[in-house]
Amino acid sequence: MLRPGFQANVHDAWIGATDMSNEGAVSWIGPKHLVNGVKFWEGGPNGKAVDGRYNNWAKSSSGTQIEPNANGSEDCVEMRGGGGHWNDKNCYQPNEFFIVEFGTPATDH
């Protein structure tokens, strides 16, 4: 359900991923995975997807991946409006929107 006023091509939204517990090891968090999430990315912009898991990190205009930038104060992941690319951002900076998955995933991967 979308909150009134949300525009996917304009607004940023938290997407439930973090590397707060282990810098550079980005995991999906949620039910049963609040502390030790399901890791899907290892490393900074030159890192790699774990077991081929989906990722959509932001790239520069030349196509070079620039996120996650491994800045130690940016531990949460947002999806940016206007393209849906991901950015790591300080968890304590406000985002008006967030995406929530309800229910239990069919698998842990």
Side-chain angles (χ1 to χ4, degrees):
M1 181 164 119
L2 293 176
R3 178 176 174 248
F6 178 78
Q7 296 176 21
N9 62 335
V10 175
H11 295 103
D12 301 335
W14 296 120
I15 60 172
T18 183
D19 70 349
M20 190 176 284
S21 64
N22 184 4
E23 183 66 33
V26 187
S27 300
W28 294 112
I29 59 171
K32 299 182 183 178
H33 299 288
L34 291 177
V35 176
N36 297 312
V38 178
K39 186 166 65 168
F40 68 90
W41 186 263
E42 183 69 49
N46 296 317
K48 62 181 181 171
V50 174
D51 297 329
R53 292 187 172 122
Y54 179 78
N55 68 88
N56 195 26
W57 296 110
K59 294 178 173 58
S60 69
S61 59
S62 66
T64 303
Q65 186 170 318
I66 56 174
E67 297 291 347
N69 62 18
N71 180 335
S73 66
E74 296 181 341
D75 293 321
C76 289
V77 181
E78 68 178 354
M79 182 174 63
R80 291 202 163 154
H85 294 106
W86 300 351
N87 172 55
D88 58 335
K89 182 176 176 179
N90 186 304
C91 299
Y92 302 103
Q93 290 181 332
N95 252 354
E96 188 174 357
F97 301 97
F98 56 93
I99 297 170
V100 177
E101 178 181 352
F102 292 97
T104 305
T107 64
D108 283 346
H109 57 283

